[in-house]
Amino acid sequence: MKTDEMVLLLGDRVALKVPSFMVPSSMSHKGDYLISVSEMVNWLGGVARDLGVEIYTGFAARELVVEDGAVRGIKLGEKGLNREGGRQPNYVPGEVLEARVTVLGEGSAGLLSEALVRRFSLGADRNAQVYSLGVKEIIRLSDQNSFGANRVIRMVGFPSRPDIFGGGAIYSMGADSVSIVLVMGLDWRYCDLDPQRELQIFKSHSFIRKLIAGGEVVAYGAKTIPEGGFYSVPELTAPGAIHREDQPSHVTFSEEGKDSGCSQEFGCHPCAAFCPAEVYKFKGDELILSPSNCLHCQTCRLKCPHQVIQWRVPEGGDGPSYRLM
Amino acid sequence: MPDIRNIPAEAWDWEKGTLKRGLLDNVCNELDKQALAFALGLRANTGGRIVSLSMGPPFAERVLRYALSVGADAGVLLTDRKLGGADTAATAYPLGQAIRKIAKDSFDGNRDYIIVSGMQSVDGDTAQVPPQIAEELGITHIAYATSFDFPEGQLQIRRITSRGAEIVAPQSYPCVITVAKWTEPPNALFSRTRWAYGQILFQWSAADIGADDARLGLPGSRTMVNRIFSPKELSRRTCVFEKDMTRLVGLLAEAYARKSKTAQEVRTEQPYQVLGGKKPHYAGEVWVYIEHNQGEVSAVSPALPFRPEFWMSCCRIGGNRKPPSWQSYWAAR
């Protein structure tokens, strides 16, 4: 990163550059490297394989196996079940993988990590974790774009209301593409706030509109970001297990959630708004679920006001296959 | 084959008319998974071994690992730069040669085997390779199988026809069976997957299968892609609610005339753009595959994208008999 600017967006037209002396140096990314996480993970996978690490995709870890007070491995999810849970001709059971050490790399808000934290009280004396949601698009610009390479602009203000934590950024992905991202603390209090719509409003600010003029969206995605900071990090080890970040999962409602009456209570269906992937749609009060849209960001599980959405890793661990993000 | 369910915009090379395969995942063709399930089902009834065969770049070995992980006994990867850019004929020939080698090396001359394949690849959609393999090997070919049965110990195949379904039995072995979507794709156990990745695959080059280089790859192909394009909407669609019958007929006639004219204009405005200065040329014979069904030409046959007149003339040459239903078939299109 050769340039790192901070800009305050006021209304949908005004953009004020914050003088660099006012930006704490710990917040500046000048001189840092910017890497696509998807590309890095693909590359790293190859490096690991070359070192003899066996990597198998297409298997979902369903639960921790805990015996005698220690993690002994994980149980995989079964495959080949139909919608009703009946066994199809291609059914295979979930096997148990035993290990001396189990390392969890589930990404933000991992289910097994949460189970581990609960089981071994690893979060005792720590702050509760809080999350924000980042929605992002990668936009291909023309070869003669004015944005250029090795540049990041971070923005605060528009379009988020003052009571919403977060901000946005636009940064180069090589010379002809940019990533544009909007991050919002998941504790927003508006039941109909749609993060994807907010991102589009963000893009409509005249300052940003000029930067991305003529561009074409080539990829998009969403993920939650743990925001609790150091004091929310649980103990990272338990007997037999190490907890690390990275990886994603399916959607059901708990029994009591079938009739949670959100529309009477809030006048709208919050999940139809907060899900950045349109997994939840409503025809009147009838829910139409599209789990295959799921981006595995886990916003639903964290943001559902009645906490009735149950989410688990789908069969085979299928999820969004990001290539550029 | 490349995963065409999710093609990012940057994976298209519009100038060359090709896909940048490096930007797409390499996956097992869905219909070949159906073929694997079919082979596994046959083996459960008859015993025997399953040898999986794939032709492609070295990274295609993952597809063979998948086959092993769901139950295949051995995997053969046919990989050679000479095989690149092949059309269906130049794909079927080396596959046929590889099958000959497998039969010779692995089955000790026993000809009691079945070649099972997905009915088509979901990226190319031609459905030509398996029948061409059967022709190459000079053996029977049963297409569009959806299930099998063994009444009184004899294999019977249920297959899709243009009029529904029929049950046939192979009269001789070996034979080729191509499989349509009929069940769920097989899933692998973790333990078996780990085993599969530890197995050694047979890796053969063009020389290993004793192939004639002149019949391989781009030089050995009989067809080439001239141009690839997205069909463009020719005109904006409008809805007209006309209750007067005479005026409605007038509108239809007008629209029809306008459409014909537009199509004509497009044809003259957009002549073939030839890639790399190569002019399309024709050399050799035209083969037309016409399927018979209860004494008539099956309507499935002309489903290939040829002009109707061409098919009519082929039909007259081939059978000297005009299928009664064709005109209505094309009119309906």
Side-chain angles (χ1 to χ4, degrees):
Chain A
M1 284 290 121
K2 286 185 181 154
T3 48
D4 181 352
E5 299 148 75
M6 183 165 266
V7 171
L8 178 63
L9 303 180
L10 297 171
D12 59 358
R13 279 158 196 249
V14 179
L16 301 173
K17 191 175 170 194
V18 180
S20 52
F21 71 86
M22 288 177 69
V23 181
S25 60
S26 60
M27 283 181 73
S28 170
H29 291 290
K30 201 172 166 183
D32 288 351
Y33 291 91
L34 194 143
I35 298 170
S36 151
V37 172
S38 322
E39 287 183 15
M40 189 186 75
V41 168
N42 282 331
W43 168 79
L44 210 53
V47 172
R49 280 201 169 103
D50 290 346
L51 290 171
V53 178
E54 296 175 35
I55 300 176
Y56 302 103
T57 55
F59 298 93
R62 189 47 47 80
E63 55 194 77
L64 292 168
V65 178
V66 180
E67 281 170 12
D68 304 328
V71 177
R72 299 287 176 218
I74 51 135
K75 186 169 193 301
L76 296 175
E78 51 199 344
K79 293 198 252 186
L81 296 176
N82 62 21
R83 235 171 242 256
E84 291 75 38
R87 293 179 181 185
Q88 297 181 145
N90 61 345
Y91 173 81
V92 291
E95 297 153 281
V96 171
L97 309 186
E98 290 180 1
R100 269 184 299 165
V101 177
T102 305
V103 181
L104 300 175
E106 295 183 286
S108 176
L111 292 175
L112 297 193
S113 308
E114 284 185 8
L116 184 77
V117 168
R118 275 196 306 273
R119 175 73 177 70
F120 292 95
S121 307
L122 303 177
D125 308 327
R126 307 290 166 124
N127 288 350
Q129 187 58 274
V130 291
Y131 296 92
S132 61
L133 170 67
V135 280
K136 183 158 96 173
E137 286 180 357
I138 296 179
I139 298 176
R140 156 110 13 93
L141 301 174
S142 70
D143 293 342
Q144 282 83 41
N145 70 81
S146 60
F147 195 83
N150 305 319
R151 181 180 182 193
V152 57
I153 303 174
R154 285 171 299 129
M155 289 157 278
V156 287
F158 184 84
S160 293
R161 292 160 237 217
D163 58 350
I164 297 178
F165 164 84
I170 177 165
Y171 51 88
S172 322
M173 299 279 283
D176 64 350
S177 298
V178 292
S179 266
I180 182 158
V181 59
L182 184 67
V183 176
M184 283 156 292
L186 269 188
D187 57 348
W188 69 69
R189 301 168 67 89
Y190 305 95
C191 80
D192 58 348
L193 190 141
D194 174 347
Q196 293 287 13
R197 195 178 57 207
E198 293 296 299
L199 178 64
Q200 301 315 312
I201 296 170
F202 180 50
K203 282 163 63 184
S204 73
H205 190 284
S206 62
F207 174 69
I208 299 170
R209 207 168 53 214
K210 280 180 206 144
L211 293 172
I212 59 171
E216 184 195 0
V217 176
V218 292
Y220 70 93
K223 88 178 277 291
T224 50
I225 305 162
E227 297 278 10
F230 179 74
Y231 296 104
S232 291
V233 176
E235 261 187 78
L236 293 180
T237 55
I242 300 173
H243 168 203
R244 253 192 11 187
E245 290 282 32
D246 227 79
Q247 247 233 28
S249 116
H250 241 174
V251 187
T252 51
F253 285 79
S254 64
E255 266 315 307
E256 64 273 23
K258 293 263 163 61
D259 186 28
S260 57
C262 277
S263 66
Q264 282 84 31
E265 190 176 344
F266 303 114
C268 70
H269 295 284
C271 50
F274 64 61
C275 172
E278 292 201 334
V279 171
Y280 310 88
K281 279 188 200 163
F282 286 84
K283 204 173 168 186
D285 270 348
E286 186 199 347
L287 170 68
I288 300 159
L289 209 55
S290 310
S292 60
N293 286 357
C294 185
L295 294 171
H296 293 210
C297 69
Q298 303 249 22
T299 299
C300 52
R301 195 167 63 81
L302 300 165
K303 184 69 180 155
C304 170
H306 291 120
Q307 293 287 293
V308 292
I309 296 176
Q310 295 173 329
W311 187 89
R312 57 192 271 176
V313 185
E315 181 181 295
D318 282 348
S321 56
Y322 294 135
R323 289 213 153 251
L324 303 166
M325 303 298 277
Chain B
M1 51 158 266
D3 186 359
I4 50 143
R5 290 168 303 182
N6 182 15
I7 303 179
E10 63 279 2
W12 286 106
D13 187 331
W14 289 101
E15 277 167 29
K16 287 190 192 153
T18 54
L19 277 175
K20 295 172 192 163
R21 287 204 50 174
L23 287 178
L24 297 170
D25 283 333
N26 193 49
V27 294
C28 182
N29 178 32
E30 279 304 314
L31 287 164
D32 286 335
K33 290 185 181 174
Q34 297 291 318
L36 256 171
F38 204 89
L40 292 165
L42 287 174
R43 187 181 62 181
N45 279 271
T46 61
R49 287 174 305 201
I50 297 175
V51 180
S52 51
L53 167 66
S54 182
M55 177 174 127
F59 55 75
E61 72 149 90
R62 289 193 65 187
V63 170
L64 295 170
R65 303 276 180 207
Y66 165 75
L68 290 172
S69 72
V70 297
D73 299 289
V76 178
L77 178 64
L78 192 53
T79 185
D80 197 315
R81 286 211 167 267
K82 287 179 189 165
L83 302 168
D87 71 350
T88 56
T91 302
Y93 166 65
L95 285 173
Q97 288 292 99
I99 290 165
R100 285 193 174 107
K101 184 172 164 62
I102 291 168
K104 184 165 156 272
D105 296 358
S106 167
F107 302 157
D108 305 322
N110 182 347
R111 288 179 61 78
D112 203 12
Y113 62 90
I114 300 173
I115 299 150
V116 189
S117 155
M119 71 179 213
Q120 63 192 41
S121 65
V122 297
D123 62 337
D125 262 4
T126 66
Q128 290 171 2
V129 172
Q132 283 173 332
I133 290 172
E135 288 304 310
E136 179 63 38
L137 299 173
I139 58 176
T140 313
H141 161 227
I142 297 170
Y144 316 134
T146 54
S147 65
F148 61 84
D149 198 6
F150 285 93
E152 294 160 16
Q154 203 216 357
L155 172 63
Q156 287 190 345
I157 310 282
R158 188 183 174 91
R159 64 180 288 271
I160 302 168
T161 74
S162 54
R163 299 176 179 211
E166 66 181 7
I167 293 170
V168 295
Q171 297 300 300
S172 61
Y173 291 95
C175 66
V176 172
I177 298 174
T178 79
V179 181
K181 162 84 182 152
W182 72 291
T183 186
E184 299 301 324
N187 279 322
L189 281 166
F190 182 85
S191 47
R192 175 89 186 180
T193 303
R194 212 167 167 213
W195 170 86
Y197 274 82
Q199 296 303 297
I200 293 167
L201 300 171
F202 296 90
Q203 190 166 317
W204 293 345
S205 66
D208 292 330
I209 54 169
D212 172 4
D213 284 0
R215 294 184 63 189
L216 299 177
L218 200 56
S221 293
R222 299 178 191 190
T223 55
M224 65 173 273
V225 177
N226 260 316
R227 190 164 68 103
I228 192 162
F229 59 94
S230 293
K232 300 265 186 308
E233 189 83 52
L234 291 176
S235 59
R236 284 180 61 193
R237 286 160 197 268
T238 46
C239 284
V240 179
F241 300 93
E242 181 56 68
K243 286 184 181 156
D244 183 274
M245 198 50 80
T246 324
R247 292 231 293 267
L248 182 63
V249 172
L251 281 172
L252 281 172
E254 202 183 291
Y256 182 75
R258 195 169 55 233
K259 197 177 172 195
S260 318
K261 197 178 149 210
T262 324
Q264 207 71 46
E265 277 165 6
V266 168
R267 248 176 236 151
T268 48
E269 275 170 14
Q270 298 186 331
Y272 267 105
Q273 288 168 14
V274 179
L275 289 174
K278 286 185 196 162
K279 293 220 160 133
H281 67 282
Y282 165 76
E285 70 272 42
V286 174
W287 287 30
V288 180
Y289 172 73
I290 293 186
E291 199 175 0
H292 291 263
N293 191 341
Q294 296 169 4
E296 287 180 30
V297 173
S298 163
V300 171
S301 311
L304 292 165
F306 284 125
R307 300 207 319 272
E309 317 88 80
F310 176 76
W311 275 94
M312 296 308 244
S313 59
C314 287
C315 186
R316 277 198 288 275
I317 296 161
N320 201 21
R321 188 166 61 92
K322 204 167 160 183
S325 60
W326 277 27
Q327 250 142 11
S328 53
Y329 175 75
W330 287 113
R333 284 165 72 95

